[in-house]
Amino acid sequence: MSSNQFASLYASLDQSKLPAHVAVIMDGNGRWAKKRLLNRIRGHEKGAEVVRTIVTACREIGIAVLTLYAFSTENWQRPQTEVSALMALLKKFLKNEKDELLDKDIRLGHIGQAERLPQDVRETLLQTMDATQHCKKMCLNLALSYGSRTEIVHMTQKLARKCRQGELLPGQISEELVAEHLYTHDLPDPDLLIRTSGEMRISNFLLWQIAYSEIYVTKTLWPDFEREELVQILIDYQQRDRRFGKVGK
Ligand code: IPE
Ligand code: IPE
Ligand code: MG
């Protein structure tokens, strides 16, 4: 697509109807590599480059929050060589992108079990989050060692403890209070959930938060995903009638 074609695609976006929060299940790195007879790690490396492109595009478009599912609690069960390579790639990404994030005024956030990450990765993550905490233009929220069921278990434990300590009565537990005790307490629910590589499943991602998200599944493998397709998905999103259980327009 030429830059002129992209500019006209981009111009057809309705700035008043942008999703505030876009969440992405970045799937298909392994299949991308397999198709090229490459090691799966090469797919993850190419995937990390695409992360950079899509973060920049979202920031330019004006998306306030971008959550990327980068590593699930279940992904710990992959072969040790793949897990180690992913962790090394992650650390490199966090280190290399720090200046870029600052430059672009992007705050880095995290959801998941940081304590399960190797110490060096965890420290780099915390340093980059700390360095960018004042940034205002966009929040890049990385789901790392994230699992929605674990998140819900932790929320339940926190609320149960408050009840036992007499701070809360069971009957006072509301939807708002549940949301306040999830990792995503400071974020709006995703308006749009994108999954690449065609699988029609959620894979333990944001189960509570996507109750009314618009879902878009593309067959494109994550390493082949480009900003043009992102804009096309946003245009598709803007044409949907979000009824939230009510009667449509
Ligand atoms: C997504 O790509 C990246 C992670 C889950 C870490 P995959 O590695 O799942 O790629 P496929 O699904 O095997 O193609
Ligand atoms: C989901 O992809 C997790 C991430 C993208 C990080 P998976 O490849 O792990 O999901 P399944 O195994 O196909 O459900
Ligand atoms: Mg996969």
Side-chain angles (χ1 to χ4, degrees), residues 59-175:
R59 188 228 179 252
E60 278 165 17
I61 291 166
I63 305 295
V65 184
L66 173 66
T67 295
L68 298 178
Y69 201 8
F71 194 87
S72 73
T73 47
E74 290 73 23
N75 290 152
W76 288 115
Q77 298 165 56
R78 291 191 178 194
Q80 191 49 48
T81 45
E82 181 167 347
V83 171
S84 302
L86 278 165
M87 289 301 138
L89 202 59
L90 181 60
K91 185 177 162 188
K92 194 168 128 198
F93 176 86
L94 291 166
K95 252 200 153 98
N96 291 352
E97 294 310 297
K98 188 166 123 188
D99 290 343
E100 188 79 3
L101 293 172
L102 283 168
D103 202 43
K104 296 204 167 106
D105 200 21
I106 300 173
R107 177 168 69 86
L108 182 73
H110 169 250
I111 54 173
Q113 294 175 286
E115 65 278 12
R116 288 188 75 182
L117 297 169
Q119 194 185 345
D120 57 337
V121 177
R122 189 171 63 242
E123 280 169 7
T124 315
L125 173 69
L126 295 177
Q127 277 162 12
T128 308
M129 281 169 59
D130 203 42
T132 59
Q133 64 172 340
H134 62 280
C135 295
K136 293 264 180 316
K137 177 84 184 167
M138 185 175 96
C139 170
L140 168 62
N141 186 34
L142 292 183
L144 294 172
S145 191
Y146 174 85
S148 190
R149 288 187 168 180
T150 303
E151 177 183 35
I152 289 171
V153 167
H154 285 166
M155 171 275 295
T156 310
Q157 289 174 344
K158 284 184 216 158
L159 291 178
R161 254 179 244 121
K162 288 191 177 177
C163 287
R164 192 185 57 190
Q165 284 158 2
E167 284 175 47
L168 194 66
L169 293 169
Q172 289 173 322
I173 297 174
S174 60
E175 290 188 14

Side-chain angles (χ1 to χ4, degrees), residues 25-27 69-72 75 78 195 199 201 203:
I25 302 175
M26 308 183 291
D27 197 18
Y69 201 8
F71 194 87
S72 73
N75 290 152
R78 291 191 178 194
R195 181 167 187 146
E199 308 294 356
R201 56 178 173 253
S203 304

